[in-house]
Amino acid sequence: RFSSEDEQNVLEEQQARNSGLTENRSASPSSPSTGLNRPSTNRKKLDFNPESALERLAEKGRQLEGDIAVGEQKQDDDTGASNEGKALDFSRFGSIERGVSTVGEALPTDIKFGDFTALNTDRHLYYTFYARIEEMIRGRWVNYIKATLYGMETGTVRIPTRTDWTTRLEIVLDRNGIFRKAILHDSSGSRNLDSAPVQAFRDAHQFPNPPLEMVKEDGAIHLMYAFTVNIVPRYASGQGE
C-alpha cells in the first residue's frame, strides 16, 4: 500500500495523533503529547475573515458544474502508550523542531496513533516539491473549511448530514509552478467543500521550483489530490463548541 511496503524499515507503523501540517517533532517536558494541536510559531499566520472566505467559496462554487471544476488563475494577478509523555530521542535524525508531531495525510485506519509518524514507505522522488505545496496550501484550505463551519453555524451554508467528505481533484500547474486550473474528478457532495482546495491553490498562485521531470507533453504539471474533511457531529448539526 506504500511505495516500499516490501522493505520493512519500520518494525511497527504509527501515525501522529494530531492533524496538521505533516511534521515530526521532538516532544519535550515543556511540550508533552497532550492530543492538542500546537501551531508552529515560525510560520506566518494567514489572514482569515469567514464572511469574505465564504464569498470566495460561493464564487468558486458557481464554476463547479457537472464533472469539471475549473479554477483559472489570471496572469496578472509512536511507539505506543509506553512513550506517552516521554521525550523521544530524535538526535540521530539531526535537528528537529520541538513540539507535537502532526500529520496531514489521510492514512489507513489500521495504523495506530502515536507521538510521531513512522511508516514503511520510501520518500517520494519529488517529496520536497509536494512538501512546499502542502505548506502553502494546508493553512489556506483549513481556513476555507472553517469558513464553511462558520456558515453552517450561522445558517448560511447547508451541507449533507454526515461526518466524512472527500473531494478528488486534478490540479494543473504550468511549467513554472503557476496554478492554471483544477479538474474535479469526484465531488464530496458539497460545493463549499469542493471549492475550498481549489480556492486555496488559486490564492497560493505559484509553487516555486517545480521539477522539470514533472512537466508532461502538454507543457503542464498534473497533480492528483484527495481532500478529506472529517467533521464531528456537533458541527455537522450546526452547533458550535
Side-chain angles (χ1 to χ4, degrees):
R1 58 183 176 181
F2 296 123
S3 62
S4 61
E5 60 182 334
D6 294 331
E7 299 177 14
Q8 297 299 312
N9 299 316
V10 176
L11 293 179
E12 185 175 28
E13 294 183 321
Q14 67 177 23
Q15 57 181 309
R17 60 173 55 85
N18 298 290
S19 177
L21 185 70
T22 300
E23 192 166 357
N24 274 341
R25 301 180 179 90
S26 175
S28 67
S30 60
S31 58
S33 285
T34 59
L36 299 176
N37 286 332
R38 298 170 184 265
S40 174
T41 57
N42 62 358
R43 292 191 177 90
K44 181 180 179 182
K45 184 176 178 59
L46 296 172
D47 293 332
F48 173 59
N49 181 293
E51 289 88 354
S52 61
L54 279 175
E55 291 177 5
R56 289 195 292 275
L57 287 181
E59 178 185 357
K60 184 58 59 183
R62 285 190 287 271
Q63 300 179 33
L64 300 178
E65 299 292 343
D67 295 328
I68 303 297
V70 178
E72 296 287 356
Q73 173 65 45
K74 295 181 180 179
Q75 277 292 105
D76 56 355
D77 297 46
D78 313 7
T79 53
S82 60
N83 280 330
E84 285 290 336
K86 296 181 181 179
L88 301 174
D89 181 13
F90 284 89
S91 58
R92 65 193 181 96
F93 298 109
S95 177
I96 290 186
E97 179 183 348
R98 293 283 183 177
V100 178
S101 297
T102 51
V103 63
E105 288 77 28
L107 297 174
T109 57
D110 62 320
I111 297 177
K112 64 184 292 185
F113 290 97
D115 290 327
F116 59 96
T117 301
L119 302 172
N120 281 309
T121 179
D122 290 328
R123 174 172 287 194
H124 193 279
L125 180 61
Y126 307 122
Y127 171 82
T128 55
F129 183 60
Y130 280 105
R132 285 197 298 276
I133 292 177
E134 183 187 3
E135 186 162 358
M136 295 176 68
I137 288 301
R138 185 177 177 84
R140 293 177 167 90
W141 174 61
V142 168
N143 277 348
Y144 284 119
I145 299 303
K146 288 180 179 178
T148 299
L149 292 177
Y150 172 83
M152 292 167 62
E153 293 174 358
T154 59
T156 59
V157 173
R158 294 284 186 271
I159 64 176
T161 304
R162 60 178 189 270
T163 56
D164 300 288
W165 295 264
T166 297
T167 300
R168 301 185 187 280
L169 292 170
E170 179 179 346
I171 302 297
V172 182
L173 312 176
D174 71 9
R175 62 175 58 250
N176 297 313
I178 296 176
F179 174 70
R180 287 304 176 210
K181 64 181 179 180
I183 303 172
L184 180 65
H185 287 281
D186 191 9
S187 172
S188 66
S190 165
R191 272 190 176 185
N192 274 54
L193 298 183
D194 291 343
S195 301
V198 179
Q199 190 62 49
F201 270 93
R202 184 179 183 184
D203 290 349
H205 179 48
Q206 184 172 14
F207 305 89
N209 305 317
L212 293 178
E213 295 82 359
M214 296 183 70
V215 179
K216 303 299 184 182
E217 292 182 358
D218 62 357
I221 297 170
H222 298 260
L223 308 174
M224 305 303 295
Y225 275 95
F227 287 84
T228 299
V229 177
N230 308 107
I231 303 179
V232 296
R234 65 176 177 274
Y235 287 114
S237 64
Q239 298 176 355
E241 271 188 322

